[in-house]
Amino acid sequence: MRKIIILDDEVMMLSSLERRIKSENLAYEPHCFSSIKLALAELDKGDCYAFITDVKMPHLTGDQVVNYISKKYPEQPCIVITGQAEKREIRHIMDAGNVKEVIWKPIDFEALVTALDNIAVTE
């Protein structure tokens, strides 16, 4: 099982993604967090296949999270999910270098799985 960390301030989104990933018997083990601090603490434990983060969150934005990860863990693949980011924000996030995909809300689950599967192709 490949550990994935999912960070989103919407608890319903987290529950939905976790339930769907588990019910599909995918090769991914979701670790879901609404707290940036807890998600980054889990990342510090290591062995994370992908870090998935929302853009619009209280306290820190997704681009700040991605920039932090890209500096501390430059090889860590990230996927960004968003429902309201502007194009300039997306460009800024993509410039971090370790963002493999941006997926718009409402999330197309198949697109998310494809993005996760594609990380293995580029490793």
Side-chain angles (χ1 to χ4, degrees):
M1 295 291 272
R2 295 173 170 155
K3 177 170 86 171
I4 58 173
I5 297 173
I6 306 172
L7 172 61
D8 196 315
D9 62 318
E10 295 177 36
V11 177
M12 293 294 288
M13 174 67 72
L14 291 173
S15 297
S16 174
L17 286 174
E18 181 177 34
R19 197 170 35 253
R20 182 83 188 265
I21 290 167
K22 288 180 176 179
S23 73
E24 299 273 336
N25 294 317
L26 301 172
Y28 304 111
E29 178 186 351
H31 294 252
C32 299
F33 299 93
S34 59
S35 161
I36 294 168
K37 184 177 180 179
L38 293 176
L40 293 176
E42 183 66 30
L43 181 61
D44 287 338
K45 293 178 183 177
D47 196 31
C48 179
Y49 176 75
F51 192 100
I52 302 169
T53 183
D54 190 13
V55 173
K56 300 284 187 183
M57 295 181 290
H59 309 298
L60 283 178
T61 62
D63 64 328
Q64 291 169 314
V65 172
V66 168
N67 283 327
Y68 171 83
I69 292 170
S70 69
K71 287 179 182 146
K72 189 167 182 180
Y73 304 103
E75 301 300 317
Q76 177 62 60
C78 295
I79 296 172
V80 174
I81 54 177
T82 185
Q84 28 183 324
E86 296 178 17
K87 287 182 182 182
R88 64 179 166 76
E89 287 176 296
I90 296 299
R91 279 195 307 273
H92 181 70
I93 289 169
M94 294 300 291
D95 288 343
N98 57 348
V99 174
K100 302 300 181 188
E101 190 79 39
V102 175
I103 298 176
W104 292 89
K105 290 181 181 179
I107 293 176
D108 176 342
F109 187 75
E110 298 307 318
L112 178 60
V113 172
T114 298
L116 286 167
D117 291 345
N118 284 342
I119 290 171
V121 173
T122 60
E123 285 185 330

